[in-house]
Amino acid sequence: MASESKIQREVPADGADELLLAGVNDAHLKTLSKLADLRVILRRDKLILSGPQEAVERSVPVARRMVRLARLQRGFSSADVERFFVEAQREPVDAERELHEDEGVALPGARKVIRPKSAGQRAYLNAMKDNDIVVGIGPAGTGKTYLAVVMAVDALVRKRVRRIILTRPAVEAGEALGFLPGDIREKVDPYLRPLYDALEDMLPPDRVRKAIEEHAIEIAPLAYMRGRTLSDAFLILDEAQNATTAQMKMFLTRLGLNSRTVITGDKTQIDLANKAESGLLEIESILKSVDGIEFTYLDEADVVRHRLVKDIIRAYARSSEDEQGGDR
């Protein structure tokens, strides 16, 4: 059988920052070369791809995306190049839409502009802009909580809401928390620390402290939401896979006038003794048809942590599949 024909394509790179485009020690070019099994070189103002025709053709959209970002002085990593490649295989890249959506969220007074790093994250951000209740489901590292906090802070600083309510179920302590040392704040803080971390990555710590003191930002365990009506608020329920069905119904019915809710969770990390009692699983099956509630799904292609996180997620997924296969 004749070997596949080889071709060469040139992607114009004039105006692009060469270091941003190629990466340190050509790391970005090497990543694309390894992923597609072709030769990638940057020569003057052209990105040259050469190799099997199919590999070259499917890599051209990735190269163009890299060039666009480098022209806009937007840095990206080798992990981003891998995401670009995966996304390009799933669906054609709409360049105009991509540039518009990648403008991100510029928080007034914040340290930086927060931009989506994958197609899944863009869809998630758009869902939060367009719906009163959004459920974001996906594995660790996909930015579910972080992006929800971004949207909440944006709504607060632009005075679209008067306060942010961030909550999590404290499953490990059975919501009693009595055996932990310290006052109530010291008891619950370990469970809520990731929410503080997200806030402090967007706003100066003193500004976060002041907002908490003035009750513009409230961070509390899910059990403390009972009996309240939360109006003019942006509510986030994090780690929702560990909320029971009763807790989930309680939380959803707290929503008051001019309020929005984002629920985040990972169905593979349910810590409840009886996994079937997860409120996240229940709402996925009964609320999908409710107008104004949007479910968005992120996967390993949207992971923005260390590159090994993606490999770890894949390994656990394979292990779970093997166990299920053995049970049959």
Side-chain angles (χ1 to χ4, degrees), residues 149 164-168 184-185 188-200 208-209 211-212 215-222 224-225 228 236 238:
V149 174
I164 297 173
I165 309 290
L166 306 173
T167 185
R168 272 183 159 197
I184 189 62
R185 174 74 175 271
V188 302
D189 268 6
Y191 301 100
L192 305 172
R193 187 68 245 175
L195 300 175
Y196 287 102
D197 291 342
L199 283 169
E200 291 173 0
V208 173
R209 285 194 296 271
I212 291 174
H215 304 291
I217 297 177
E218 180 181 346
I219 305 176
L222 179 58
Y224 289 27
M225 296 298 107
R228 304 176 63 183
I236 299 174
D238 193 36

PDB file of all heavy atoms in Angstrom, residues 149 164-168 184-185 188-200 208-209 211-212 215-222 224-225 228 236 238:
ATOM      1  N   VAL A 149     -17.071  32.330  40.357  1.00  0.00           N
ATOM      2  CA  VAL A 149     -16.713  33.446  41.231  1.00  0.00           C
ATOM      3  C   VAL A 149     -16.391  34.686  40.405  1.00  0.00           C
ATOM      4  O   VAL A 149     -16.726  35.807  40.796  1.00  0.00           O
ATOM      5  CB  VAL A 149     -15.524  33.054  42.143  1.00  0.00           C
ATOM      6  CG1 VAL A 149     -15.052  34.259  42.950  1.00  0.00           C
ATOM      7  CG2 VAL A 149     -15.928  31.931  43.092  1.00  0.00           C
ATOM      8  N   ILE A 164     -22.788  38.653  47.303  1.00  0.00           N
ATOM      9  CA  ILE A 164     -22.406  37.338  46.792  1.00  0.00           C
ATOM     10  C   ILE A 164     -22.546  36.345  47.941  1.00  0.00           C
ATOM     11  O   ILE A 164     -22.077  36.612  49.055  1.00  0.00           O
ATOM     12  CB  ILE A 164     -20.953  37.323  46.284  1.00  0.00           C
ATOM     13  CG1 ILE A 164     -20.779  38.279  45.100  1.00  0.00           C
ATOM     14  CG2 ILE A 164     -20.532  35.910  45.882  1.00  0.00           C
ATOM     15  CD1 ILE A 164     -19.323  38.438  44.674  1.00  0.00           C
ATOM     16  N   ILE A 165     -23.193  35.232  47.676  1.00  0.00           N
ATOM     17  CA  ILE A 165     -23.318  34.156  48.665  1.00  0.00           C
ATOM     18  C   ILE A 165     -22.579  32.937  48.115  1.00  0.00           C
ATOM     19  O   ILE A 165     -22.954  32.394  47.071  1.00  0.00           O
ATOM     20  CB  ILE A 165     -24.786  33.771  48.937  1.00  0.00           C
ATOM     21  CG1 ILE A 165     -25.635  35.020  49.249  1.00  0.00           C
ATOM     22  CG2 ILE A 165     -24.864  32.726  50.041  1.00  0.00           C
ATOM     23  CD1 ILE A 165     -25.322  35.659  50.562  1.00  0.00           C
ATOM     24  N   LEU A 166     -21.520  32.525  48.806  1.00  0.00           N
ATOM     25  CA  LEU A 166     -20.743  31.353  48.395  1.00  0.00           C
ATOM     26  C   LEU A 166     -20.935  30.268  49.447  1.00  0.00           C
ATOM     27  O   LEU A 166     -20.717  30.508  50.641  1.00  0.00           O
ATOM     28  CB  LEU A 166     -19.255  31.703  48.285  1.00  0.00           C
ATOM     29  CG  LEU A 166     -18.898  32.894  47.393  1.00  0.00           C
ATOM     30  CD1 LEU A 166     -17.423  33.231  47.525  1.00  0.00           C
ATOM     31  CD2 LEU A 166     -19.235  32.595  45.950  1.00  0.00           C
ATOM     32  N   THR A 167     -21.319  29.082  49.007  1.00  0.00           N
ATOM     33  CA  THR A 167     -21.599  28.030  49.981  1.00  0.00           C
ATOM     34  C   THR A 167     -21.155  26.669  49.478  1.00  0.00           C
ATOM     35  O   THR A 167     -21.067  26.426  48.269  1.00  0.00           O
ATOM     36  CB  THR A 167     -23.111  28.011  50.329  1.00  0.00           C
ATOM     37  OG1 THR A 167     -23.346  27.050  51.362  1.00  0.00           O
ATOM     38  CG2 THR A 167     -23.957  27.654  49.113  1.00  0.00           C
ATOM     39  N   ARG A 168     -20.865  25.799  50.436  1.00  0.00           N
ATOM     40  CA  ARG A 168     -20.459  24.417  50.156  1.00  0.00           C
ATOM     41  C   ARG A 168     -21.052  23.514  51.232  1.00  0.00           C
ATOM     42  O   ARG A 168     -21.174  23.929  52.386  1.00  0.00           O
ATOM     43  CB  ARG A 168     -18.935  24.271  50.251  1.00  0.00           C
ATOM     44  CG  ARG A 168     -18.152  24.559  49.000  1.00  0.00           C
ATOM     45  CD  ARG A 168     -16.690  24.291  49.262  1.00  0.00           C
ATOM     46  NE  ARG A 168     -15.953  24.080  48.032  1.00  0.00           N
ATOM     47  CZ  ARG A 168     -14.763  23.513  47.960  1.00  0.00           C
ATOM     48  NH1 ARG A 168     -14.179  23.077  49.062  1.00  0.00           N
ATOM     49  NH2 ARG A 168     -14.152  23.359  46.807  1.00  0.00           N
ATOM     50  N   ILE A 184     -16.925  29.103  65.342  1.00  0.00           N
ATOM     51  CA  ILE A 184     -17.616  28.594  64.155  1.00  0.00           C
ATOM     52  C   ILE A 184     -16.869  28.961  62.875  1.00  0.00           C
ATOM     53  O   ILE A 184     -16.799  28.181  61.929  1.00  0.00           O
ATOM     54  CB  ILE A 184     -19.075  29.112  64.110  1.00  0.00           C
ATOM     55  CG1 ILE A 184     -19.837  28.402  62.994  1.00  0.00           C
ATOM     56  CG2 ILE A 184     -19.110  30.618  63.930  1.00  0.00           C
ATOM     57  CD1 ILE A 184     -19.955  26.917  63.179  1.00  0.00           C
ATOM     58  N   ARG A 185     -16.264  30.186  62.850  1.00  0.00           N
ATOM     59  CA  ARG A 185     -15.503  30.599  61.657  1.00  0.00           C
ATOM     60  C   ARG A 185     -14.320  29.657  61.433  1.00  0.00           C
ATOM     61  O   ARG A 185     -14.047  29.226  60.321  1.00  0.00           O
ATOM     62  CB  ARG A 185     -15.035  32.045  61.840  1.00  0.00           C
ATOM     63  CG  ARG A 185     -14.112  32.567  60.744  1.00  0.00           C
ATOM     64  CD  ARG A 185     -14.892  32.854  59.480  1.00  0.00           C
ATOM     65  NE  ARG A 185     -14.048  33.460  58.474  1.00  0.00           N
ATOM     66  CZ  ARG A 185     -13.845  34.767  58.333  1.00  0.00           C
ATOM     67  NH1 ARG A 185     -14.423  35.603  59.184  1.00  0.00           N
ATOM     68  NH2 ARG A 185     -13.087  35.228  57.376  1.00  0.00           N
ATOM     69  N   VAL A 188     -15.413  26.106  60.059  1.00  0.00           N
ATOM     70  CA  VAL A 188     -15.878  25.927  58.681  1.00  0.00           C
ATOM     71  C   VAL A 188     -14.882  26.400  57.629  1.00  0.00           C
ATOM     72  O   VAL A 188     -14.953  25.994  56.475  1.00  0.00           O
ATOM     73  CB  VAL A 188     -17.230  26.645  58.448  1.00  0.00           C
ATOM     74  CG1 VAL A 188     -18.274  26.134  59.412  1.00  0.00           C
ATOM     75  CG2 VAL A 188     -17.078  28.155  58.561  1.00  0.00           C
ATOM     76  N   ASP A 189     -13.925  27.245  58.020  1.00  0.00           N
ATOM     77  CA  ASP A 189     -12.993  27.803  57.042  1.00  0.00           C
ATOM     78  C   ASP A 189     -12.241  26.768  56.212  1.00  0.00           C
ATOM     79  O   ASP A 189     -12.041  26.968  55.011  1.00  0.00           O
ATOM     80  CB  ASP A 189     -12.002  28.749  57.730  1.00  0.00           C
ATOM     81  CG  ASP A 189     -12.495  30.190  57.707  1.00  0.00           C
ATOM     82  OD1 ASP A 189     -13.637  30.418  57.256  1.00  0.00           O
ATOM     83  OD2 ASP A 189     -11.746  31.085  58.141  1.00  0.00           O
ATOM     84  N   PRO A 190     -11.788  25.653  56.807  1.00  0.00           N
ATOM     85  CA  PRO A 190     -11.066  24.677  55.977  1.00  0.00           C
ATOM     86  C   PRO A 190     -11.887  24.168  54.792  1.00  0.00           C
ATOM     87  O   PRO A 190     -11.337  23.880  53.724  1.00  0.00           O
ATOM     88  CB  PRO A 190     -10.761  23.536  56.961  1.00  0.00           C
ATOM     89  CG  PRO A 190     -10.737  24.206  58.297  1.00  0.00           C
ATOM     90  CD  PRO A 190     -11.785  25.270  58.230  1.00  0.00           C
ATOM     91  N   TYR A 191     -13.202  24.065  54.944  1.00  0.00           N
ATOM     92  CA  TYR A 191     -14.052  23.571  53.867  1.00  0.00           C
ATOM     93  C   TYR A 191     -14.314  24.641  52.807  1.00  0.00           C
ATOM     94  O   TYR A 191     -14.624  24.331  51.665  1.00  0.00           O
ATOM     95  CB  TYR A 191     -15.388  23.086  54.444  1.00  0.00           C
ATOM     96  CG  TYR A 191     -15.210  21.985  55.447  1.00  0.00           C
ATOM     97  CD1 TYR A 191     -15.240  22.264  56.817  1.00  0.00           C
ATOM     98  CD2 TYR A 191     -14.970  20.675  55.044  1.00  0.00           C
ATOM     99  CE1 TYR A 191     -15.042  21.253  57.746  1.00  0.00           C
ATOM    100  CE2 TYR A 191     -14.770  19.669  55.977  1.00  0.00           C
ATOM    101  CZ  TYR A 191     -14.808  19.963  57.318  1.00  0.00           C
ATOM    102  OH  TYR A 191     -14.606  18.972  58.236  1.00  0.00           O
ATOM    103  N   LEU A 192     -14.177  25.897  53.215  1.00  0.00           N
ATOM    104  CA  LEU A 192     -14.522  27.005  52.326  1.00  0.00           C
ATOM    105  C   LEU A 192     -13.291  27.709  51.757  1.00  0.00           C
ATOM    106  O   LEU A 192     -13.422  28.648  50.980  1.00  0.00           O
ATOM    107  CB  LEU A 192     -15.389  28.017  53.083  1.00  0.00           C
ATOM    108  CG  LEU A 192     -16.646  27.416  53.729  1.00  0.00           C
ATOM    109  CD1 LEU A 192     -17.339  28.454  54.617  1.00  0.00           C
ATOM    110  CD2 LEU A 192     -17.612  26.899  52.684  1.00  0.00           C
ATOM    111  N   ARG A 193     -12.094  27.239  52.111  1.00  0.00           N
ATOM    112  CA  ARG A 193     -10.865  27.891  51.696  1.00  0.00           C
ATOM    113  C   ARG A 193     -10.753  28.064  50.176  1.00  0.00           C
ATOM    114  O   ARG A 193     -10.291  29.114  49.707  1.00  0.00           O
ATOM    115  CB  ARG A 193      -9.672  27.092  52.217  1.00  0.00           C
ATOM    116  CG  ARG A 193      -8.316  27.756  51.996  1.00  0.00           C
ATOM    117  CD  ARG A 193      -8.188  29.007  52.842  1.00  0.00           C
ATOM    118  NE  ARG A 193      -8.098  30.202  52.021  1.00  0.00           N
ATOM    119  CZ  ARG A 193      -8.071  31.434  52.494  1.00  0.00           C
ATOM    120  NH1 ARG A 193      -8.145  31.634  53.790  1.00  0.00           N
ATOM    121  NH2 ARG A 193      -7.989  32.460  51.692  1.00  0.00           N
ATOM    122  N   PRO A 194     -11.151  27.066  49.364  1.00  0.00           N
ATOM    123  CA  PRO A 194     -11.043  27.267  47.907  1.00  0.00           C
ATOM    124  C   PRO A 194     -11.835  28.465  47.404  1.00  0.00           C
ATOM    125  O   PRO A 194     -11.447  29.085  46.408  1.00  0.00           O
ATOM    126  CB  PRO A 194     -11.613  25.954  47.338  1.00  0.00           C
ATOM    127  CG  PRO A 194     -11.348  24.945  48.408  1.00  0.00           C
ATOM    128  CD  PRO A 194     -11.573  25.698  49.690  1.00  0.00           C
ATOM    129  N   LEU A 195     -12.923  28.814  48.083  1.00  0.00           N
ATOM    130  CA  LEU A 195     -13.713  29.972  47.674  1.00  0.00           C
ATOM    131  C   LEU A 195     -12.977  31.271  48.007  1.00  0.00           C
ATOM    132  O   LEU A 195     -12.979  32.220  47.228  1.00  0.00           O
ATOM    133  CB  LEU A 195     -15.079  29.938  48.343  1.00  0.00           C
ATOM    134  CG  LEU A 195     -15.919  28.689  48.010  1.00  0.00           C
ATOM    135  CD1 LEU A 195     -17.209  28.680  48.827  1.00  0.00           C
ATOM    136  CD2 LEU A 195     -16.239  28.627  46.529  1.00  0.00           C
ATOM    137  N   TYR A 196     -12.330  31.302  49.176  1.00  0.00           N
ATOM    138  CA  TYR A 196     -11.512  32.463  49.520  1.00  0.00           C
ATOM    139  C   TYR A 196     -10.367  32.616  48.514  1.00  0.00           C
ATOM    140  O   TYR A 196     -10.041  33.724  48.087  1.00  0.00           O
ATOM    141  CB  TYR A 196     -10.917  32.302  50.922  1.00  0.00           C
ATOM    142  CG  TYR A 196     -11.885  32.472  52.063  1.00  0.00           C
ATOM    143  CD1 TYR A 196     -12.399  31.363  52.742  1.00  0.00           C
ATOM    144  CD2 TYR A 196     -12.278  33.739  52.497  1.00  0.00           C
ATOM    145  CE1 TYR A 196     -13.276  31.512  53.815  1.00  0.00           C
ATOM    146  CE2 TYR A 196     -13.147  33.898  53.562  1.00  0.00           C
ATOM    147  CZ  TYR A 196     -13.649  32.780  54.221  1.00  0.00           C
ATOM    148  OH  TYR A 196     -14.516  32.938  55.278  1.00  0.00           O
ATOM    149  N   ASP A 197      -9.742  31.495  48.155  1.00  0.00           N
ATOM    150  CA  ASP A 197      -8.616  31.535  47.220  1.00  0.00           C
ATOM    151  C   ASP A 197      -9.033  32.139  45.884  1.00  0.00           C
ATOM    152  O   ASP A 197      -8.306  32.943  45.291  1.00  0.00           O
ATOM    153  CB  ASP A 197      -8.054  30.126  46.998  1.00  0.00           C
ATOM    154  CG  ASP A 197      -7.351  29.578  48.234  1.00  0.00           C
ATOM    155  OD1 ASP A 197      -6.998  30.382  49.127  1.00  0.00           O
ATOM    156  OD2 ASP A 197      -7.160  28.353  48.302  1.00  0.00           O
ATOM    157  N   ALA A 198     -10.198  31.738  45.396  1.00  0.00           N
ATOM    158  CA  ALA A 198     -10.678  32.260  44.113  1.00  0.00           C
ATOM    159  C   ALA A 198     -10.920  33.764  44.203  1.00  0.00           C
ATOM    160  O   ALA A 198     -10.539  34.519  43.301  1.00  0.00           O
ATOM    161  CB  ALA A 198     -11.961  31.534  43.697  1.00  0.00           C
ATOM    162  N   LEU A 199     -11.535  34.206  45.306  1.00  0.00           N
ATOM    163  CA  LEU A 199     -11.796  35.633  45.481  1.00  0.00           C
ATOM    164  C   LEU A 199     -10.500  36.436  45.526  1.00  0.00           C
ATOM    165  O   LEU A 199     -10.363  37.484  44.892  1.00  0.00           O
ATOM    166  CB  LEU A 199     -12.582  35.869  46.773  1.00  0.00           C
ATOM    167  CG  LEU A 199     -14.074  35.557  46.746  1.00  0.00           C
ATOM    168  CD1 LEU A 199     -14.638  35.580  48.161  1.00  0.00           C
ATOM    169  CD2 LEU A 199     -14.828  36.548  45.869  1.00  0.00           C
ATOM    170  N   GLU A 200      -9.524  35.930  46.277  1.00  0.00           N
ATOM    171  CA  GLU A 200      -8.280  36.669  46.475  1.00  0.00           C
ATOM    172  C   GLU A 200      -7.396  36.665  45.235  1.00  0.00           C
ATOM    173  O   GLU A 200      -6.451  37.448  45.148  1.00  0.00           O
ATOM    174  CB  GLU A 200      -7.541  36.113  47.690  1.00  0.00           C
ATOM    175  CG  GLU A 200      -8.272  36.419  49.002  1.00  0.00           C
ATOM    176  CD  GLU A 200      -7.658  35.738  50.206  1.00  0.00           C
ATOM    177  OE1 GLU A 200      -6.645  35.020  50.020  1.00  0.00           O
ATOM    178  OE2 GLU A 200      -8.172  35.916  51.324  1.00  0.00           O
ATOM    179  N   VAL A 208     -11.282  42.065  49.767  1.00  0.00           N
ATOM    180  CA  VAL A 208     -12.106  40.897  50.071  1.00  0.00           C
ATOM    181  C   VAL A 208     -12.532  40.926  51.529  1.00  0.00           C
ATOM    182  O   VAL A 208     -13.707  40.708  51.852  1.00  0.00           O
ATOM    183  CB  VAL A 208     -11.334  39.591  49.763  1.00  0.00           C
ATOM    184  CG1 VAL A 208     -12.125  38.380  50.238  1.00  0.00           C
ATOM    185  CG2 VAL A 208     -11.050  39.472  48.270  1.00  0.00           C
ATOM    186  N   ARG A 209     -11.577  41.227  52.421  1.00  0.00           N
ATOM    187  CA  ARG A 209     -11.900  41.282  53.858  1.00  0.00           C
ATOM    188  C   ARG A 209     -12.967  42.330  54.151  1.00  0.00           C
ATOM    189  O   ARG A 209     -13.899  42.092  54.920  1.00  0.00           O
ATOM    190  CB  ARG A 209     -10.628  41.577  54.670  1.00  0.00           C
ATOM    191  CG  ARG A 209      -9.684  40.395  54.802  1.00  0.00           C
ATOM    192  CD  ARG A 209      -8.645  40.658  55.871  1.00  0.00           C
ATOM    193  NE  ARG A 209      -7.787  41.790  55.517  1.00  0.00           N
ATOM    194  CZ  ARG A 209      -6.670  41.692  54.809  1.00  0.00           C
ATOM    195  NH1 ARG A 209      -6.278  40.494  54.360  1.00  0.00           N
ATOM    196  NH2 ARG A 209      -5.935  42.751  54.548  1.00  0.00           N
ATOM    197  N   ALA A 211     -15.256  43.503  52.096  1.00  0.00           N
ATOM    198  CA  ALA A 211     -16.544  43.059  51.554  1.00  0.00           C
ATOM    199  C   ALA A 211     -17.191  42.021  52.469  1.00  0.00           C
ATOM    200  O   ALA A 211     -18.417  42.023  52.659  1.00  0.00           O
ATOM    201  CB  ALA A 211     -16.357  42.494  50.150  1.00  0.00           C
ATOM    202  N   ILE A 212     -16.367  41.160  53.064  1.00  0.00           N
ATOM    203  CA  ILE A 212     -16.903  40.150  53.983  1.00  0.00           C
ATOM    204  C   ILE A 212     -17.398  40.815  55.262  1.00  0.00           C
ATOM    205  O   ILE A 212     -18.476  40.482  55.787  1.00  0.00           O
ATOM    206  CB  ILE A 212     -15.832  39.083  54.295  1.00  0.00           C
ATOM    207  CG1 ILE A 212     -15.550  38.238  53.027  1.00  0.00           C
ATOM    208  CG2 ILE A 212     -16.273  38.183  55.447  1.00  0.00           C
ATOM    209  CD1 ILE A 212     -14.417  37.257  53.178  1.00  0.00           C
ATOM    210  N   HIS A 215     -20.647  42.363  54.750  1.00  0.00           N
ATOM    211  CA  HIS A 215     -21.638  41.364  54.329  1.00  0.00           C
ATOM    212  C   HIS A 215     -22.009  41.479  52.846  1.00  0.00           C
ATOM    213  O   HIS A 215     -23.073  41.013  52.433  1.00  0.00           O
ATOM    214  CB  HIS A 215     -22.906  41.448  55.192  1.00  0.00           C
ATOM    215  CG  HIS A 215     -22.637  41.298  56.659  1.00  0.00           C
ATOM    216  ND1 HIS A 215     -22.225  40.111  57.212  1.00  0.00           N
ATOM    217  CD2 HIS A 215     -22.683  42.208  57.683  1.00  0.00           C
ATOM    218  CE1 HIS A 215     -22.045  40.271  58.517  1.00  0.00           C
ATOM    219  NE2 HIS A 215     -22.309  41.535  58.829  1.00  0.00           N
ATOM    220  N   ALA A 216     -21.132  42.115  52.060  1.00  0.00           N
ATOM    221  CA  ALA A 216     -21.337  42.123  50.609  1.00  0.00           C
ATOM    222  C   ALA A 216     -20.921  40.772  50.026  1.00  0.00           C
ATOM    223  O   ALA A 216     -21.388  40.378  48.952  1.00  0.00           O
ATOM    224  CB  ALA A 216     -20.527  43.245  49.958  1.00  0.00           C
ATOM    225  N   ILE A 217     -20.042  40.084  50.738  1.00  0.00           N
ATOM    226  CA  ILE A 217     -19.659  38.717  50.382  1.00  0.00           C
ATOM    227  C   ILE A 217     -19.859  37.853  51.615  1.00  0.00           C
ATOM    228  O   ILE A 217     -19.358  38.179  52.695  1.00  0.00           O
ATOM    229  CB  ILE A 217     -18.195  38.623  49.908  1.00  0.00           C
ATOM    230  CG1 ILE A 217     -17.985  39.436  48.629  1.00  0.00           C
ATOM    231  CG2 ILE A 217     -17.807  37.164  49.666  1.00  0.00           C
ATOM    232  CD1 ILE A 217     -16.536  39.456  48.136  1.00  0.00           C
ATOM    233  N   GLU A 218     -20.598  36.779  51.447  1.00  0.00           N
ATOM    234  CA  GLU A 218     -20.827  35.848  52.554  1.00  0.00           C
ATOM    235  C   GLU A 218     -20.393  34.458  52.124  1.00  0.00           C
ATOM    236  O   GLU A 218     -20.779  33.976  51.061  1.00  0.00           O
ATOM    237  CB  GLU A 218     -22.306  35.833  52.937  1.00  0.00           C
ATOM    238  CG  GLU A 218     -22.626  34.881  54.083  1.00  0.00           C
ATOM    239  CD  GLU A 218     -24.102  34.863  54.441  1.00  0.00           C
ATOM    240  OE1 GLU A 218     -24.834  35.773  53.998  1.00  0.00           O
ATOM    241  OE2 GLU A 218     -24.524  33.937  55.158  1.00  0.00           O
ATOM    242  N   ILE A 219     -19.575  33.836  52.964  1.00  0.00           N
ATOM    243  CA  ILE A 219     -19.101  32.484  52.682  1.00  0.00           C
ATOM    244  C   ILE A 219     -19.514  31.612  53.862  1.00  0.00           C
ATOM    245  O   ILE A 219     -19.088  31.853  54.995  1.00  0.00           O
ATOM    246  CB  ILE A 219     -17.575  32.449  52.492  1.00  0.00           C
ATOM    247  CG1 ILE A 219     -17.153  33.447  51.403  1.00  0.00           C
ATOM    248  CG2 ILE A 219     -17.109  31.046  52.124  1.00  0.00           C
ATOM    249  CD1 ILE A 219     -15.653  33.550  51.201  1.00  0.00           C
ATOM    250  N   ALA A 220     -20.352  30.613  53.610  1.00  0.00           N
ATOM    251  CA  ALA A 220     -20.913  29.840  54.719  1.00  0.00           C
ATOM    252  C   ALA A 220     -21.256  28.421  54.268  1.00  0.00           C
ATOM    253  O   ALA A 220     -21.472  28.166  53.075  1.00  0.00           O
ATOM    254  CB  ALA A 220     -22.162  30.529  55.259  1.00  0.00           C
ATOM    255  N   PRO A 221     -21.326  27.491  55.209  1.00  0.00           N
ATOM    256  CA  PRO A 221     -21.737  26.127  54.874  1.00  0.00           C
ATOM    257  C   PRO A 221     -23.173  26.094  54.372  1.00  0.00           C
ATOM    258  O   PRO A 221     -23.995  26.947  54.738  1.00  0.00           O
ATOM    259  CB  PRO A 221     -21.609  25.367  56.205  1.00  0.00           C
ATOM    260  CG  PRO A 221     -20.726  26.207  57.052  1.00  0.00           C
ATOM    261  CD  PRO A 221     -20.967  27.614  56.636  1.00  0.00           C
ATOM    262  N   LEU A 222     -23.488  25.104  53.567  1.00  0.00           N
ATOM    263  CA  LEU A 222     -24.817  24.991  52.976  1.00  0.00           C
ATOM    264  C   LEU A 222     -25.916  24.921  54.034  1.00  0.00           C
ATOM    265  O   LEU A 222     -27.007  25.467  53.843  1.00  0.00           O
ATOM    266  CB  LEU A 222     -24.869  23.749  52.074  1.00  0.00           C
ATOM    267  CG  LEU A 222     -26.193  23.445  51.394  1.00  0.00           C
ATOM    268  CD1 LEU A 222     -26.650  24.618  50.533  1.00  0.00           C
ATOM    269  CD2 LEU A 222     -26.063  22.183  50.541  1.00  0.00           C
ATOM    270  N   TYR A 224     -26.342  26.521  56.560  1.00  0.00           N
ATOM    271  CA  TYR A 224     -26.707  27.836  57.081  1.00  0.00           C
ATOM    272  C   TYR A 224     -27.641  28.604  56.143  1.00  0.00           C
ATOM    273  O   TYR A 224     -28.062  29.720  56.471  1.00  0.00           O
ATOM    274  CB  TYR A 224     -25.444  28.675  57.316  1.00  0.00           C
ATOM    275  CG  TYR A 224     -24.606  28.213  58.482  1.00  0.00           C
ATOM    276  CD1 TYR A 224     -24.621  26.886  58.910  1.00  0.00           C
ATOM    277  CD2 TYR A 224     -23.769  29.093  59.156  1.00  0.00           C
ATOM    278  CE1 TYR A 224     -23.850  26.448  59.962  1.00  0.00           C
ATOM    279  CE2 TYR A 224     -22.984  28.667  60.220  1.00  0.00           C
ATOM    280  CZ  TYR A 224     -23.033  27.342  60.617  1.00  0.00           C
ATOM    281  OH  TYR A 224     -22.268  26.917  61.662  1.00  0.00           O
ATOM    282  N   MET A 225     -27.956  28.026  54.994  1.00  0.00           N
ATOM    283  CA  MET A 225     -28.845  28.700  54.039  1.00  0.00           C
ATOM    284  C   MET A 225     -30.320  28.461  54.357  1.00  0.00           C
ATOM    285  O   MET A 225     -31.198  29.141  53.841  1.00  0.00           O
ATOM    286  CB  MET A 225     -28.572  28.202  52.614  1.00  0.00           C
ATOM    287  CG  MET A 225     -27.172  28.516  52.082  1.00  0.00           C
ATOM    288  SD  MET A 225     -26.827  30.285  51.969  1.00  0.00           S
ATOM    289  CE  MET A 225     -25.694  30.496  53.347  1.00  0.00           C
ATOM    290  N   ARG A 228     -33.777  31.039  54.662  1.00  0.00           N
ATOM    291  CA  ARG A 228     -33.493  32.383  54.168  1.00  0.00           C
ATOM    292  C   ARG A 228     -34.094  32.610  52.784  1.00  0.00           C
ATOM    293  O   ARG A 228     -34.303  31.664  52.029  1.00  0.00           O
ATOM    294  CB  ARG A 228     -31.980  32.614  54.104  1.00  0.00           C
ATOM    295  CG  ARG A 228     -31.270  32.401  55.415  1.00  0.00           C
ATOM    296  CD  ARG A 228     -29.774  32.546  55.290  1.00  0.00           C
ATOM    297  NE  ARG A 228     -29.386  33.903  54.885  1.00  0.00           N
ATOM    298  CZ  ARG A 228     -28.128  34.255  54.648  1.00  0.00           C
ATOM    299  NH1 ARG A 228     -27.160  33.357  54.751  1.00  0.00           N
ATOM    300  NH2 ARG A 228     -27.856  35.510  54.298  1.00  0.00           N
ATOM    301  N   ILE A 236     -23.613  30.928  44.730  1.00  0.00           N
ATOM    302  CA  ILE A 236     -22.825  29.832  44.172  1.00  0.00           C
ATOM    303  C   ILE A 236     -22.835  28.674  45.157  1.00  0.00           C
ATOM    304  O   ILE A 236     -22.440  28.839  46.323  1.00  0.00           O
ATOM    305  CB  ILE A 236     -21.365  30.251  43.901  1.00  0.00           C
ATOM    306  CG1 ILE A 236     -21.306  31.394  42.883  1.00  0.00           C
ATOM    307  CG2 ILE A 236     -20.553  29.056  43.400  1.00  0.00           C
ATOM    308  CD1 ILE A 236     -19.910  31.952  42.669  1.00  0.00           C
ATOM    309  N   ASP A 238     -21.009  25.332  45.581  1.00  0.00           N
ATOM    310  CA  ASP A 238     -19.837  24.597  45.105  1.00  0.00           C
ATOM    311  C   ASP A 238     -19.851  23.179  45.663  1.00  0.00           C
ATOM    312  O   ASP A 238     -20.461  22.918  46.704  1.00  0.00           O
ATOM    313  CB  ASP A 238     -18.575  25.347  45.558  1.00  0.00           C
ATOM    314  CG  ASP A 238     -17.324  24.858  44.860  1.00  0.00           C
ATOM    315  OD1 ASP A 238     -17.403  24.508  43.668  1.00  0.00           O
ATOM    316  OD2 ASP A 238     -16.261  24.842  45.510  1.00  0.00           O
TER     317      ASP A 238
END
